Amino acid sequence: EPEVTQTPSHQVTQMGQEVILRCVPISNHLYFYWYRQILGQKVEFLVSFYNNEISEKSEIFDDQFSVERPDGSNFTLKIRSTKLEDSAMYFCASRGVVSGEKLFFGSGTQLSVL
Amino acid sequence: AQSVSQHNHHVILSEAASLELGCNYSYGGTVNLFWYVQYPGQHLQLLLKYFSGDPLVKGIKGFEAEFIKSKFSFNLRKPSVQWSDTAEYFCAVNALAAGNKLTFGGGTRVLVKP
C-alpha cells in the first residue's frame, strides 16, 4: 500500500525557535492535512490544503503556523516561534479526489519543545 | 460543530473476551464514519469505514462496526480479542456538508491481558 512519509520522526527544539515538519504525501493525492495529538489527548485537526491554498483551518492554526507545498512532492508545516504547548505528535495525511475517501496518515513527527 | 464521543477511555480485558467500543457523533447530516487504530509506537491505521449501504461493516483483523443512524452511533466490535489488539482506538466522523476534514473522538485505550 502507498505511504505518506514524514521527516524527521522526532524533533527537539528550544522555545521560540522555528521548526519545519516535512511530509511527502502519496503522489496522486490532491488533498493534504495536518493533525496533531498532544500526549493523552485526542487527535486534533489543524489545517487542510487543496489547490495550493488552505481550504480550512482550526482555531489552533494561528499566525504562528503556516503550510506550504514548495514543490510537487513535499508538504510542510512551519511553526514560526514554538511554545511549550506545541509539543505533540504531528501527523500529515493525504487523500485523493473522491469525496469522503479515506485519509492516509504518515507515521508522525514527535515535536518536543523545551 | 460536529463532535465525536467515545464512552470508554480505558478498557482492560483478557484474551478471547469480546470487545465493544462505543462511538456517538452529533452531526445530523450525511456522514462517513471511520475507526482508526494506533498500535504502540506506530502510526494511525484505518480499521474500517462506513459510507453507505449495509450498516454492518467488516474491517481488518476481525473487527466490525455497526452504524445505527437513529442512535447516531458507530460501535466497534470484535468477538474474540488477542493480545496483539492492545492499542488505542479512535472513532472519526467526516460530515460532507461541514467540509472534508475528519473529527476524531478522544480515543479508547484497550489493554488485552495474555
Side-chain angles (χ1 to χ4, degrees):
Chain A
E1 189 171 71
E3 284 189 348
V4 174
T5 56
Q6 290 185 243
T7 55
S9 57
H10 195 177
Q11 172 105 36
V12 181
T13 189
Q14 296 290 326
M15 192 168 56
Q17 294 296 304
E18 174 184 285
V19 294
I20 297 177
L21 308 183
R22 302 181 193 280
C23 170
V24 179
I26 293 169
S27 61
N28 61 345
H29 283 183
L30 298 178
Y31 291 83
F32 313 112
Y33 303 80
W34 283 101
Y35 286 78
R36 78 173 185 190
Q37 185 181 26
I38 294 172
L39 186 65
Q41 298 185 25
K42 65 168 67 176
V43 179
E44 302 172 294
F45 166 77
L46 290 179
V47 65
S48 59
F49 191 87
Y50 172 71
N51 201 25
N52 285 320
E53 60 183 24
I54 291 173
S55 47
E56 189 172 358
K57 60 183 180 179
S58 71
E59 294 174 351
I60 303 165
F61 196 87
D62 61 21
D63 291 343
Q64 293 300 312
F65 290 87
S66 62
V67 288
E68 197 176 36
R69 189 157 163 80
D71 52 43
S73 59
N74 291 285
F75 178 54
T76 61
L77 174 69
K78 182 193 291 186
I79 308 175
R80 197 161 308 141
S81 176
T82 50
K83 303 188 281 283
L84 295 176
E85 54 264 37
D86 293 327
S87 296
M89 178 72 87
Y90 288 80
F91 292 100
C92 174
S94 70
R95 70 170 181 87
V97 297
V98 175
S99 181
E101 191 175 326
K102 80 171 187 178
L103 294 183
F104 286 78
F105 280 91
S107 54
T109 293
Q110 178 67 55
L111 176 65
S112 300
V113 182
L114 306 178
Chain B
Q2 55 179 318
S3 68
V4 182
S5 301
Q6 291 183 239
H7 314 301
N8 308 99
H9 297 295
H10 291 92
V11 172
I12 300 173
L13 59 169
S14 300
E15 277 194 312
S18 65
L19 173 70
E20 180 160 0
L21 303 182
C23 173
N24 286 90
Y25 60 93
S26 63
Y27 197 75
T30 301
V31 293
N32 297 324
L33 302 158
F34 305 79
W35 274 97
Y36 283 87
V37 61
Q38 189 172 29
Y39 297 104
Q42 298 186 29
H43 58 87
L44 287 168
Q45 299 175 38
L46 181 69
L47 266 183
L48 48 78
K49 62 185 179 184
Y50 172 80
F51 284 2
S52 62
D54 188 345
L56 184 62
V57 180
K58 295 196 183 299
I60 60 171
K61 305 188 182 188
F63 284 91
E64 64 180 30
E66 185 175 12
F67 170 52
I68 303 179
K69 189 174 182 179
S70 60
K71 294 184 178 180
F72 297 88
S73 70
F74 190 56
N75 292 354
L76 180 72
R77 296 194 292 254
K78 184 168 183 177
S80 177
V81 295
Q82 300 170 307
W83 174 79
S84 57
D85 292 321
T86 293
E88 188 157 15
Y89 294 81
F90 294 92
C91 180
V93 175
N94 163 221
L96 301 183
N100 280 313
K101 68 179 188 291
L102 279 184
T103 301
F104 284 81
T108 299
R109 294 192 179 206
V110 174
L111 173 63
V112 180
K113 294 183 176 179

